[in-house]
Amino acid sequence: MADLVIVSAAWPPASCCPDPLAVWEKSSLRCGCPIVLCNQTGHYKRMDMTRGDSAVLSEGKCLMSYRGDPAVLLFDYDEVKRKVCSQTFEVLPC
């Protein structure tokens, strides 16, 4: 069983799935461990990622999320307890 799942995603809100976070919440509930969702930012020729969220989810709930300019997002995780300790990201602008 995994202790932590890290997802490198390129999934903006779209008409087929207006709220991708709902899918990740369901996934975190099913897998039984926290999920770290690292989404892209910016606007590309074929994809607008300006509304894409990066998030940490656990037990079916979004614990924290970020949408904005490119940044490094830091949070505390207890490896022994397999629990997210932070309630918000520390945001380091790039």
Side-chain angles (χ1 to χ4, degrees), residues 8 15 36 43 46 63 82 89:
S8 174
S15 59
V36 178
H43 187 44
R46 294 187 180 165
L63 303 178
R82 298 176 49 208
F89 287 119

Side-chain angles (χ1 to χ4, degrees), residues 2 31 37 46 48 57 86 92:
C31 77
L37 175 61
R46 294 187 180 165
D48 181 5
L57 307 105
S86 300
L92 305 176

Side-chain angles (χ1 to χ4, degrees), residues 32-64:
C33 67
I35 293 177
V36 178
L37 175 61
C38 306
N39 221 334
Q40 295 180 20
T41 59
H43 187 44
Y44 304 92
K45 189 174 186 176
R46 294 187 180 165
M47 189 170 19
D48 181 5
M49 294 300 296
T50 57
R51 292 181 27 233
D53 288 297
S54 292
V56 175
L57 307 105
S58 186
E59 299 175 356
K61 295 179 182 159
C62 181
L63 303 178
M64 61 190 98

Side-chain angles (χ1 to χ4, degrees), residues 11-44:
W11 191 355
S15 59
C16 65
C17 182
D19 184 11
L21 279 176
V23 174
W24 296 116
E25 287 173 338
K26 184 180 265 187
S27 297
S28 76
L29 189 60
R30 286 185 178 169
C31 77
C33 67
I35 293 177
V36 178
L37 175 61
C38 306
N39 221 334
Q40 295 180 20
T41 59
H43 187 44
Y44 304 92

